[in-house]
Amino acid sequence: MARALVEVALDGVEEKAALTLKSGETAELAIVNKDPQRVLCEVTVEHLNGVLNSLVAIELGGRRLYLGRSSRAGESISADIEPGGVEILRVRFVAPPRGNDEVQVRLRVVLRALPAATARGKETREKHTMPKLLPVLVHEKP
């Protein structure tokens, strides 16, 4: 039976989360921004071994990174997290029914505060690119 051992480490912290997944299983870790400003959360693949016929999917902030036979360490995925916000890091393992892959993945999570100018610049761009909202009629029963 195929299995994946996924280690997730937060940069600067000695504690790691070890996730053991069978084919079709998904694990989730919540990443919380307790900083008073927006942060960039970057998840980098530090080590990948044993992927022959299986696939490891990493999802963060609506983006996906697929790790397979041709993937290498150094690949990454990132998302911005608002102050007090939460992003969910999802890791899913998929292997063929008769697969015997013993996959080992080590992920490093790095949180970096974004400069205030970058955060303000993004808000300004969003204001200019967002469409105007139209009024909505709401019908209520008497």
Side-chain angles (χ1 to χ4, degrees), residues 40-128:
L40 175 68
C41 174
E42 185 172 23
V43 178
T44 304
V45 178
E46 284 190 331
H47 175 77
L48 179 64
N49 190 25
V51 179
L52 300 174
N53 300 308
S54 54
L55 183 71
V56 178
I58 301 169
E59 183 179 335
L60 179 70
R63 295 181 183 100
R64 288 194 180 119
L65 174 64
Y66 294 101
L67 303 175
R69 186 182 331 191
S70 62
S71 300
R72 300 287 175 251
E75 295 188 45
S76 66
I77 188 171
S78 64
D80 289 356
I81 306 175
E82 297 293 329
V86 177
E87 278 295 337
I88 304 297
L89 172 64
R90 288 182 184 84
V91 181
R92 182 170 174 84
F93 178 61
V94 180
R98 291 188 167 76
N100 293 331
D101 289 4
E102 294 285 330
V103 178
Q104 299 163 356
V105 180
R106 189 169 49 244
L107 302 174
R108 168 86 43 202
V109 177
V110 178
L111 298 173
R112 291 189 189 101
L114 291 174
T118 303
R120 271 190 253 117
K122 185 173 182 178
E123 290 169 6
T124 304
R125 283 192 305 273
E126 287 174 354
K127 285 180 185 174
H128 286 73

Side-chain angles (χ1 to χ4, degrees), residues 3-9 16-22 25-29 56 89-93 103-107:
R3 295 185 292 172
L5 173 63
V6 181
E7 290 181 358
V8 182
K16 296 178 184 177
L19 313 168
T20 303
L21 303 172
K22 296 176 187 172
E25 290 183 332
T26 300
E28 296 181 342
L29 294 172
V56 178
L89 172 64
R90 288 182 184 84
V91 181
R92 182 170 174 84
F93 178 61
V103 178
Q104 299 163 356
V105 180
R106 189 169 49 244
L107 302 174

